[in-house]
Amino acid sequence: MKLVFAGTPEVAVPALDALIASGRHEVAAVVTRPDATAGRGRKLVASPVAERAAAAGIEVLKPARPRDEDFLDRLREIAPDCCPVVAYGALLPKVALDVPARGWVNLHFSLLPAWRGAAPVQHAVMAGDEVTGASTFLIEQGLDSGPVYGVVTEEIRGKDTSGDLLGRLAVSGAGLLVATMDGIEDGRLSARPQPAEGVTVAPKITVEDAAVDWSAPALRVDRLIRGCTPAPGAWTLIGGERLKLGPVTPVPDRTDLAPGELAVGKNSVHVGTGSHAVLLGEVQPQGKKRMPAAAWSRGTHLPEGTVLGS
């Protein structure tokens, strides 16, 4: 089939690579979000998908909005059979959805109908799910509600961050997307409606959502921090400034600390929660680089009885 691939961030690159390498389908063009400012210099930078497509000699389309007439005209000229999508980052209007004969097929990183929305992997980790996966489905006007072509499953490991899990899903999902394209072309694969039961929603995680509530049980604190790693990054307050937090280790046998209370050892920093303590891993003070919590505590000279979050 002739394909137009839509995607933007790094997590979409393995799927683009897999489609290019398949040798069976032609990736005629790529649709991605416009260049965005990044870094301290605030220079315009192309998306990872745009850079990969350009390196492969593939035409790159960067509409400000996917309903722009110039973009729609070019899409009609290319006349793709199907448009695979991975984390494109913009809603597709019906006028665009109607262009490819076999529709737009999205690779979504959950087992639909669970975790429809922008942040399925983060929510799966934060909820303590034991298994997740990826699904390919035909895009329709509703939020991730279209009929499903296929799925792959992935175990969520005890220390997985959302970044760890998303990295694995990007690879296994890429294989699923290629297999879906093959099955659609062969006519042996048909999409099945999602069940009405089991629908959960995974809205974008905001910076405010990533604030740690130390009165919550240690298990919930651990899941929140792992779910928010690497983005948007879990944090707490100390002395009125934000302190970013890397993954922690629950310590069930330490229950002598109040929620948020620090206990600084020679090579360790424990924090109390609503159940038992957690051991801090890496931290990032405001305006500084990430460092081990013990090194941070030695340099900060924390007074006895310091409480995080206050």
Side-chain angles (χ1 to χ4, degrees), residues 3 5-7 9-22 27 49 52 84-87 107 109 169-178 181:
L3 307 177
F5 178 86
E10 188 67 40
V11 71
V13 172
L16 175 59
D17 283 340
L19 289 167
I20 293 171
S22 72
V27 182
V49 164
R52 178 66 187 92
V85 184
V86 185
L107 172 64
F109 297 114
L169 287 171
V171 174
S172 60
L176 171 64
L177 187 61
V178 172
M181 293 296 106

Side-chain angles (χ1 to χ4, degrees), residues 4-285:
V4 170
F5 178 86
T8 298
E10 188 67 40
V11 71
V13 172
L16 175 59
D17 283 340
L19 289 167
I20 293 171
S22 72
R24 179 168 178 176
H25 309 287
E26 174 198 355
V27 182
V30 156
V31 184
T32 190
R33 299 294 291 150
D35 297 355
T37 54
R40 291 188 176 180
R42 309 308 294 167
K43 294 181 180 179
L44 282 176
V45 177
S47 74
V49 164
E51 291 184 347
R52 178 66 187 92
I58 296 171
E59 179 181 358
V60 179
L61 307 173
K62 303 178 182 180
R65 300 178 307 164
R67 63 173 63 254
D68 291 348
E69 283 302 323
D70 289 348
F71 164 67
L72 293 171
D73 287 344
R74 181 59 187 138
L75 190 64
R76 294 183 187 106
E77 288 174 359
I78 297 170
D81 298 300
C82 190
C83 294
V85 184
V86 185
Y88 169 48
L91 291 175
L92 296 161
K94 187 176 187 304
V95 66
L97 294 178
D98 290 342
V99 173
R102 302 191 182 190
W104 297 67
V105 176
N106 191 39
L107 172 64
H108 183 75
F109 297 114
S110 81
L111 298 176
L112 292 170
W115 303 127
R116 294 175 179 173
V121 175
Q122 290 95 323
H123 281 276
V125 173
M126 289 164 59
D129 292 357
E130 296 181 353
V131 176
T132 187
S135 308
T136 49
F137 70 93
L138 183 66
I139 294 180
E140 56 180 31
Q141 294 277 262
L143 176 65
D144 299 334
S145 59
V148 172
Y149 283 106
V151 300
V152 291
T153 59
E154 181 71 38
E155 177 188 0
I156 301 180
R157 301 167 189 169
K159 293 187 177 181
D160 270 343
T161 66
S162 62
D164 297 332
L165 184 56
L166 193 55
R168 299 201 303 273
L169 287 171
V171 174
S172 60
L176 171 64
L177 187 61
V178 172
T180 300
M181 293 296 106
D182 293 349
I184 290 172
E185 184 185 36
D186 291 342
R188 58 180 169 79
L189 194 59
S190 58
R192 297 186 176 184
Q194 295 182 33
E197 302 79 24
V199 175
T200 49
V201 181
K204 181 180 179 180
I205 305 293
T206 67
V207 173
E208 289 72 25
D209 295 331
V212 174
D213 174 8
W214 296 107
S215 68
L219 187 63
R220 190 180 303 170
V221 170
D222 169 45
R223 290 171 178 171
L224 173 75
I225 294 173
R226 288 189 292 111
C228 292
T229 302
W235 59 277
T236 189
L237 287 175
I238 182 167
E241 293 190 343
R242 286 188 181 182
L243 178 71
K244 287 190 175 182
L245 303 168
V248 298
T249 302
V251 185
D253 59 354
R254 179 149 198 187
T255 58
D256 60 319
L257 298 174
E261 182 183 356
L262 288 177
V264 178
K266 185 177 180 180
N267 295 302
S268 64
V269 181
H270 291 84
V271 188
T273 73
S275 57
H276 51 75
V278 297
L279 177 68
L280 294 185
E282 287 191 326
V283 300
Q284 184 176 4

